[in-house]
Amino acid sequence: QTSGAVNTAFGLIFQVQDDDHYYAFRLSGDGYFLVEKIDGEKLVTLVDWTLATPFDTTEDAPNTLAVTGADGAYQLFVNGEQVGEFADDGYGAGSAGYMVENFDDTAPAAFVFDDFTAGEPAE
C-alpha cells in the first residue's frame, strides 16, 4: 500500500549479492514498472518503464508484487497478472527484500509491505 506523494518508486530487490549488486523490480506511484540491474556503480535497465495495468493507483489500495525465475529467466507479476519478463544470468542465488524512494521533496509518502515471502516457486 502507498499513500501521499505519487512521484515515488517502490518494489522488490532480488538476487542480492551485496549492497551494490542486485536486481530491482520498481513500480512508480502512477502505475509504471521498471527492472534494473545494479552492478556496482553501473545501473543497467533490463525492462524500461512500462504501464502495469493491473496496478491499482488508488491511495492505500493493496497491490501484490511478485518475481519468479530460474536459470536467468524471470517473470514479473502485479496483482497476480504477468506484466513483463526478462533474461539475465548475471546474478544467480541471493537474498531478497524491498525498496522505497520518494522523489517529491514537498510531500511525504508512506509505504506498507506485508506478507513478504521469498523461496523456491512451486512447480
Side-chain angles (χ1 to χ4, degrees), residues 29-106:
D30 59 355
Y32 286 78
F33 76 93
L34 165 83
V35 176
E36 295 173 312
K37 179 181 182 180
I38 292 71
D39 187 9
E41 302 261 333
K42 193 163 91 173
L43 192 66
V44 179
T45 300
L46 300 174
V47 177
D48 209 349
W49 288 109
T50 304
L51 182 63
T53 54
F55 183 77
D56 187 344
T57 58
T58 307
E59 188 170 40
D60 291 324
N63 286 285
T64 302
L65 311 180
V67 176
T68 62
D71 301 324
Y74 299 91
Q75 300 78 43
L76 311 164
F77 297 87
V78 174
N79 293 329
E81 294 184 40
Q82 186 172 344
V83 295
E85 61 188 4
F86 72 96
D88 187 277
D89 60 1
Y91 305 138
S95 57
Y98 53 89
M99 52 79 61
V100 299
E101 297 175 289
N102 182 2
F103 302 109
D104 189 332
D105 58 2
T106 63

